[in-house]
Amino acid sequence: MPGSKLDPIDRHILAELQADGRMTNVELARRVGISAPPCLRRVRTLEETGFIRGYHADVDPRELGFEVQVFAMVGLSSQAEADLSAFEGKCREWPLVRECHMLNGEIDFILKCVSPDLSTFQTFLTEQLTAADNVASVKTSLVIRGAKNEPAVPFEVLEERLGRTP
């Protein structure tokens, strides 16, 4: 299990940064119970080894005028690795596509898209997504409202699996 490679202090650092990535190193060190210099070294190691991939602000899309959120389920004509990779590359180019996940089952990919309005999304859907090479089918679902949006991982579950209390 990958999480078991980390010691409890590293996991505590990750949990704290996940909750508040803007805290100072001094505050982080205080929260995890170590001094600032080793805390900073640990954070840098976690960054270098890929446990920390970046730091981001949680921006409210609706406040910025992105009123529409859509999930698009995409079926491809071919699932050859080159075709899958080509589609993933296309998704990285499309600004309205915010997430792209390859799935097992009836559909090949699910895309999370945001758009300022329905007509902008419809233009993207008809002129780019459905027109893309290898796209056989697209089914869309408009999000009415969100009940939960937790981008973080549940460290309490990891600690429980490792037989420790968080």
Side-chain angles (χ1 to χ4, degrees):
M1 174 180 359
S4 63
K5 295 177 185 175
L6 301 173
D7 69 15
I9 293 173
D10 287 334
R11 291 192 305 275
H12 195 175
I13 287 170
L14 290 173
E16 291 293 339
L17 286 176
Q18 183 175 262
D20 180 4
R22 292 194 59 174
M23 77 176 75
T24 67
N25 182 61
V26 171
E27 176 61 18
L28 178 60
R30 185 192 66 72
R31 288 186 187 189
V32 300
I34 60 176
S35 63
C39 184
L40 185 57
R41 282 193 298 275
R42 283 175 178 259
V43 169
R44 288 197 175 132
T45 299
L46 291 166
E47 292 169 346
E48 291 165 5
T49 55
F51 285 98
I52 297 174
R53 295 186 299 193
Y55 300 89
H56 310 277
D58 185 8
V59 177
D60 185 341
R62 289 186 188 263
E63 288 295 323
L64 294 169
F66 289 89
E67 296 292 328
V68 174
Q69 183 175 324
V70 178
F71 287 96
M73 286 74 59
V74 180
L76 301 181
S77 301
S78 166
Q79 290 76 28
E81 185 56 41
D83 295 323
L84 295 169
S85 294
F87 182 75
E88 290 168 336
K90 216 46 182 157
C91 287
R92 285 189 285 276
E93 294 173 9
W94 290 324
L96 295 185
V97 175
R98 306 315 299 163
E99 294 181 28
C100 170
H101 305 276
M102 187 169 72
L103 302 178
N104 175 21
E106 287 185 41
I107 60 173
D108 296 308
F109 287 91
I110 188 164
L111 312 180
K112 178 182 172 186
C113 305
V114 297
S115 177
D117 51 51
L118 278 174
S119 65
T120 301
F121 179 76
Q122 182 179 358
T123 300
F124 163 71
L125 178 65
T126 57
E127 295 179 9
Q128 295 182 296
L129 182 55
T130 58
D133 290 340
N134 197 32
V135 172
S137 66
V138 177
K139 294 179 182 176
T140 59
S141 291
L142 180 67
V143 173
I144 302 302
R145 70 176 175 221
K148 184 175 184 178
N149 183 13
E150 278 296 328
V153 296
F155 272 96
E156 61 274 12
V157 173
L158 176 62
E159 295 299 333
E160 187 177 295
R161 286 184 70 198
L162 295 172
R164 299 174 182 94
T165 56

